[in-house]
Amino acid sequence: MEKEKFNYYRHLHMIQPTRVSSIHDFRYKDTISILIEARKSKGISQVVLAQKMGFTQPDISKIERLERRLDVIEFLDLLEAISSGDSDFFNHIWNKINECHNRSKKG
């Protein structure tokens, strides 16, 4: 019997780390939870937030239900819209998100 040759491509999945889609990553989920909490603490409805960002209310709902992913620019726009020019609040939320991400690096 002839020995089977090693097929690199057949075993490729065994050596490549699996990467979780960012929308399913717990850091993304935590970030969205922090943004929802911040929006609610400012008394901003999804409708008002959507208007500030040029989105529709269903867009905001999908983002908050993790059905639609935010890109980097949208994330910054969303954070700015929630903070409404209040730099202390903006920094507070930004720091909260950073703490969440830093905790994940330690664990």
Side-chain angles (χ1 to χ4, degrees):
M1 276 182 116
E2 191 176 315
K3 190 173 181 182
E4 184 181 345
K5 288 171 110 179
F6 180 77
N7 183 334
Y8 171 79
Y9 295 102
R10 192 169 127 213
H11 299 284
L12 188 61
H13 71 281
M14 297 168 89
I15 59 174
Q16 289 183 332
T18 359
R19 183 162 171 90
V20 175
S21 170
S22 63
I23 202 164
H24 299 293
D25 187 297
F26 71 92
R27 294 169 298 175
Y28 183 82
K29 292 176 181 180
D30 289 349
T31 298
I32 296 300
S33 292
I34 291 167
L35 291 172
I36 293 168
E37 180 185 314
R39 175 183 64 77
K40 289 179 177 179
S41 77
K42 281 287 201 173
I44 300 171
S45 70
Q46 288 183 345
V47 172
V48 170
L49 182 58
Q51 290 169 344
K52 285 182 169 191
M53 295 190 62
F55 284 2
T56 63
Q57 181 276 327
D59 289 329
I60 300 299
S61 178
K62 286 177 184 177
I63 290 165
E64 291 185 356
R65 290 190 325 250
L66 304 171
E67 294 176 5
R68 181 190 181 288
R69 186 180 165 278
L70 281 173
D71 70 24
V72 174
I73 303 302
E74 290 172 333
F75 164 75
L76 292 172
D77 289 347
L78 183 71
L79 185 52
E80 181 60 37
I82 291 171
S83 63
S84 304
D86 180 346
S87 60
D88 289 337
F89 190 77
F90 182 100
N91 290 330
H92 170 73
I93 299 306
W94 183 260
N95 290 333
K96 228 174 155 176
I97 291 168
N98 280 328
E99 287 172 16
C100 166
H101 287 252
N102 288 335
R103 273 195 312 269
S104 72
K105 290 178 186 175
K106 293 176 186 175

